[in-house]
């Protein structure tokens, strides 16, 4: 009996020591938790266009041929070590980095390094109808690729050898290199795609992503958590973090509570009302940067009464932007009169914003044929975005403003993924939306949000296609001198203001609260895109 007791004691001691050792090992591993604001639409940067999705897919999992120096819009090498552009601007030749490894998962183990085949596949999928992966489910599009008209710009993407790839364009395109920095240009594995096609599981490349980025995808629980692990063989140096967790937390107050409790170390999109508390918090660094963004209300010009320019102008005059800035943005933004922010070159400061004038707005509405007002539906944002801190509150203020001129507004919203899906096909009558710039070029705003191509791609939720406006922005893309391009964009802004397919509400300041033990975190030039590959945690 005594021997049995001694044996049991030894077993118990070993178990305790093993548990302690395991706990210590877990503690030694560096895990950063990021409190994100919403579930991604998916894990394909080709199929979707929101910052939430790019944060969860393009940035941790993938790389592009070129990238921005963090915090700027200066282009630097990434999967391409160097590039040459022909004198006529029609040929871009990229020399690819050697020795770059792809991730693996339960379905796929790569047998080769990244090469030109992967670049060709990535762009063929979006641009070649013959590519088997070009066929998408109903309602899905290659949003950015189509919004930016790249199907009309890229002629061919050709492999010269394993480490050289050539893009041949149908015409010169001034912002083309900057376009390749954007998330939609993330490079996929052609080998993975081929294997999944053989297994009749082609959706896997979008749901179980394989990339060359700093973190490997581990698992996803919708509306709860996304898990990643450091990619040991990452070409640009293994991340300092061992694990990265996205704790999906839609409520900004809850995100802040988690940050204060050290349940997460970085959080997205704080409430403006909490900024003063965060500045005073001894455990928090509140990082800020002027936002390259726009929050707006878009009118679907294909639906009454918004097919009438006078109605759109009347509603533009009937919004009290000063009240929205004070109540919703609480000083963390500035009123917008153009689609692009004043920090971006080609901004037309001569454009005069619609002054808040309910009397004049009501008279204009009567002139448009609605003397007794009209009933409309407006969607408001269901999640907090950098360009709109509180969609519901902003919607209520607008609803109140428009009621003063006899416009009765039904406020509607949907789950974020559904909101985006419905807007792409034009279900909305009017809707709240916004944009954070991707590449520091005005075309990124005008081309995606108001071009005729943008209607087809789904990014132009106003469904507005104006031939004169489109001719100006298309000509600007073909023009090499920035001053000449700026003059064209300035004229385009005059047309957009007069035709009023949307109401430009505000440009916000981007804030990111991080705990003080977080090292090397920077806000990128495009504030929605968070990068954790160089981030570390102090001991």
């Amino acid at each position: 009996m005594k021997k049995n007791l001694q044996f049991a004691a030894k077993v118990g001691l070993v178990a305790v020591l093993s548990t302690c050792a395991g706990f210590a090992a877990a503690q030694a591993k560096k895990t950063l938790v990021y409190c994100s604001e919403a579930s991604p639409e998916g894990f394909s940067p080709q199929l979707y266009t929101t910052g939430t999705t790019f944060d969860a897919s393009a940035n941790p999992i993938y790389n592009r041929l070129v990238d921005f120096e963090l915090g700027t819009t200066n282009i630097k090498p990434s999967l391409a070590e160097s590039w040459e552009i022909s004198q006529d601007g029609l040929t871009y030749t990229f020399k690819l980095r050697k020795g770059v490894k792809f991730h693996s998962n339960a379905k796929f183990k790569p047998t080769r390094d990244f090469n030109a085949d992967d670049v060709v596949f990535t762009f063929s999928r979006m641009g070649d109808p013959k590519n088997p992966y070009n066929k998408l489910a109903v309602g899905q599009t290659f949003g950015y690729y189509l919004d930016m008209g790249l199907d009309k710009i890229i002629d061919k993407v050709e492999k010269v050898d394993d480490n050289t790839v050539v893009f041949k364009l149908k015409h010169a395109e001034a912002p083309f290199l900057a376009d390749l920095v954007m998330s939609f240009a993330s490079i996929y594995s052609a080998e993975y795609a081929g294997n999944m096609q053989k297994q009749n599981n082609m959706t896997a490349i979008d749901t179980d992503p394989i990339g060359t980025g700093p973190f490997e995808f581990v698992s996803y629980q919708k509306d709860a958590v996304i898990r990643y692990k450091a990619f040991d063989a990452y070409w640009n140096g293994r991340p300092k973090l061992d694990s990265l967790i996205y704790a999906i937390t839609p409520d900004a107050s809850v995100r802040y509570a988690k940050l204060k409790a050290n349940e997460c170390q970085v959080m997205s999109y704080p409430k403006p009302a909490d900024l003063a508390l965060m500045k005073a918090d001894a455990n928090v660094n509140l990082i800020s940067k002027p936002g390259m963004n726009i929050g707006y209300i878009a009118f679907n010009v294909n639906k009454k009464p918004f097919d009438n320019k006078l109605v759109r102008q009347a509603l533009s005059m009937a919004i009290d932007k000063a009240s929205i800035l004070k109540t919703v943005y609480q000083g963390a933004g500035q009123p917008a009169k153009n689609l692009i922010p004043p920090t971006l070159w080609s901004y037309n400061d001569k454009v005069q914003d619609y002054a808040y004038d309910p009397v004049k707005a009501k008279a204009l509405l009567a002139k448009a044929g609605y003397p007794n007002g009209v009933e409309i539906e407006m969607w408001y944002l269901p999640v907090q975005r950098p360009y709109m801190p509180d969609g519901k509150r902003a919607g209520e203020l607008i609803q109140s403003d428009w009621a003063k001129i006899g416009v009765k507004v039904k406020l509607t919203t949907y789950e974020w993924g559904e909101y985006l899906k419905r807007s792409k096909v034009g279900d909305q009558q009017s809707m709240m939306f916004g944009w954070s710039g991707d590449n520091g070029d005005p075309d990124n705003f005008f081309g995606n949000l108001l071009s005729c191509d943008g209607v087809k791609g789904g990014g132009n939720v106003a469904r507005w296609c104006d031939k004169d406006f489109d001719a100006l922005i298309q000509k600007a893309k073909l023009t090499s001198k920035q001053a000449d391009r700026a003059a064209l964009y300035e004229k385009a802004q005059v047309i957009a203001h007069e035709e009023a397919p949307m109401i430009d509400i505000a440009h916000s300041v981007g804030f990111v609260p991080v705990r003080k033990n977080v090292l090397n975190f920077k806000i990128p030039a495009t504030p929605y895109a968070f990068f954790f590959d160089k981030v570390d945690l102090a001991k």
Side-chain angles (χ1 to χ4, degrees):
M1 182 71 178
K2 188 175 180 180
K3 288 183 179 180
N4 287 342
L5 289 172
Q6 287 175 336
F7 177 75
K10 287 179 181 178
V11 171
L13 179 61
V14 169
V16 169
L17 290 174
S18 297
T19 301
C20 290
F23 180 73
Q27 289 294 92
K29 284 185 175 293
K30 292 182 179 178
T31 297
L32 183 140
V33 180
Y34 164 51
C35 280
S36 62
E37 76 288 355
S39 292
E41 303 155 273
F43 290 88
S44 171
Q46 291 186 336
L47 301 182
Y48 307 109
T49 60
T50 68
T52 306
T53 294
F54 294 157
D55 264 349
S57 61
N59 303 338
I61 298 169
Y62 292 100
N63 295 120
R64 274 69 50 201
L65 292 175
V66 288
D67 214 334
F68 286 139
E69 293 176 2
L70 193 56
T72 77
T73 53
N74 299 325
I75 297 174
K76 68 173 185 177
S78 184
L79 291 181
E81 287 187 315
S82 63
W83 56 88
E84 293 180 0
I85 305 172
S86 63
Q87 198 166 13
D88 60 7
L90 295 178
T91 305
Y92 287 67
T93 303
F94 292 91
K95 289 293 182 181
L96 305 181
R97 194 176 297 276
K98 297 178 182 178
V100 174
K101 309 296 182 184
F102 276 103
H103 306 160
S104 60
N105 61 24
K107 299 181 179 73
F108 172 71
K109 307 295 179 195
T111 63
R112 63 165 177 80
D113 291 348
F114 155 76
N115 66 28
D117 291 329
D118 304 305
V119 180
V120 171
F121 167 76
T122 295
F123 287 89
S124 167
R125 184 200 185 188
M126 294 183 284
D128 183 1
K130 296 178 183 177
N131 186 310
Y133 278 91
N134 182 262
K135 297 174 180 63
L136 301 177
V138 175
Q140 280 189 328
T141 65
F142 296 110
Y144 263 116
Y145 193 87
L146 296 175
D147 288 346
M148 298 169 68
L150 287 170
D151 54 328
K152 300 174 184 174
I153 295 166
I154 297 175
D155 185 20
K156 298 176 183 175
V157 183
E158 296 179 328
K159 174 182 177 179
V160 177
D161 56 47
D162 278 354
N163 301 108
T164 310
V165 68
V166 173
F167 286 73
K168 293 185 178 179
L169 308 188
K170 296 176 182 177
H171 58 72
E173 179 77 1
F176 183 69
L177 190 63
D179 291 346
L180 296 184
V181 178
M182 294 165 60
S183 296
F184 82 92
S186 297
I187 302 301
Y188 282 55
S189 165
E191 185 184 18
Y192 182 39
N195 284 11
M196 293 303 98
Q197 185 180 4
K198 290 175 183 175
Q199 295 178 30
N200 197 28
N201 186 17
M202 293 171 66
T203 59
I205 70 166
D206 297 316
T207 58
D208 299 293
I210 291 287
T212 59
F215 294 94
E216 293 185 86
F217 175 76
V218 176
S219 64
Y220 169 52
Q221 184 179 348
K222 185 174 172 60
D223 299 332
V225 66
I226 314 170
R227 298 182 184 276
Y228 310 86
K229 65 180 180 180
F231 183 34
D232 292 333
Y234 183 47
W235 63 269
N236 201 23
R238 185 192 186 278
K240 303 289 186 183
L241 303 172
D242 298 296
S243 299
L244 177 62
I245 295 173
Y246 283 29
I248 299 166
T249 314
D251 189 299
S253 297
V254 177
R255 290 199 296 274
Y256 184 33
K258 287 184 177 181
L259 189 78
K260 286 192 290 186
N262 199 25
E263 291 177 22
C264 62
Q265 292 73 49
V266 180
M267 68 167 277
S268 64
Y269 314 131
K271 288 171 64 175
D274 289 336
L275 294 177
L277 292 172
M278 291 174 177
K279 288 176 184 177
D281 192 325
N283 295 313
V284 172
N285 283 326
L286 185 62
I287 307 171
S288 66
K289 193 181 185 74
M292 191 185 295
N293 59 43
I294 177 70
Y296 60 84
I297 305 297
F299 303 123
N300 187 340
V301 300
N302 291 336
K303 293 188 176 182
K304 290 184 177 297
F306 302 122
D307 57 339
N308 189 322
K309 178 175 75 172
L310 297 181
V311 171
R312 303 195 298 265
Q313 290 178 337
L315 293 180
S316 299
M317 295 175 190
I319 284 185
D320 185 357
K321 290 184 187 178
S323 177
I324 295 174
L325 264 291
K326 181 180 178 181
T327 305
V328 178
Y329 292 83
Q330 300 194 23
Q334 62 185 108
K337 61 181 181 180
N338 292 314
L339 188 61
I340 61 173
T343 52
L344 193 57
W345 61 271
S346 82
Y347 181 80
N348 190 344
D349 200 31
K350 294 179 181 177
V351 168
Q352 295 295 313
D353 198 7
Y354 291 99
Y356 176 52
D357 191 338
V359 175
K360 188 175 179 180
K362 191 168 186 177
L364 197 59
L365 199 62
K367 186 178 178 182
Y370 299 94
N372 300 315
V374 64
E375 293 186 11
I376 64 171
E377 179 183 54
M378 185 178 78
W379 297 358
Y380 65 87
L381 281 166
V383 296
Q384 191 177 359
R385 305 302 302 143
Y387 45 75
M388 181 55 69
D390 189 338
K392 184 178 182 182
R393 184 70 184 114
E396 290 167 349
L397 291 170
I398 292 168
Q399 181 185 50
S400 176
D401 285 341
W402 285 349
K404 295 171 186 174
I405 64 168
V407 176
K408 186 177 180 181
V409 181
K410 177 187 176 184
L411 292 176
T412 302
T413 196
Y414 299 93
E415 180 272 328
W416 185 223
E418 188 69 13
Y419 192 91
L420 298 166
K421 182 180 177 181
R422 286 172 176 261
S423 70
K424 270 193 171 186
V425 296
D427 284 353
Q428 67 280 9
Q429 188 182 23
S430 64
M431 68 180 293
M432 189 183 297
F433 217 11
W435 188 259
S436 292
D438 296 89
N439 64 7
D441 195 283
D443 176 67
N444 186 243
F445 285 80
F446 298 124
N448 285 294
L449 305 182
L450 285 180
S451 71
C452 296
D453 285 326
V455 176
K456 180 171 61 175
N460 181 348
V461 295
R463 320 290 289 182
W464 179 70
C465 176
D466 183 276
K467 290 182 180 179
D468 294 333
F469 176 90
D470 217 65
L472 286 167
I473 65 170
Q474 297 302 332
K475 185 177 179 181
K477 292 202 295 178
L478 303 176
T479 303
S480 57
K481 287 182 65 176
Q482 189 177 98
D484 295 338
R485 292 184 70 204
L488 293 166
Y489 288 130
E490 287 169 12
K491 291 178 181 177
Q493 287 166 76
V494 173
I495 294 174
H497 179 264
E498 169 65 22
E499 294 297 319
M502 58 175 61
I503 302 175
D504 303 314
I505 302 293
H507 309 290
S508 72
V509 176
F511 289 94
V512 183
V514 303
R515 289 189 65 86
K516 287 189 175 177
N517 65 321
V518 176
L519 307 175
N520 305 326
F521 181 89
K522 293 182 180 179
I523 299 181
T526 53
Y528 70 78
F530 290 169
F531 293 88
F532 294 103
D533 55 317
K534 301 301 180 186
V535 170
D536 199 356
L537 292 172
K539 292 183 180 178

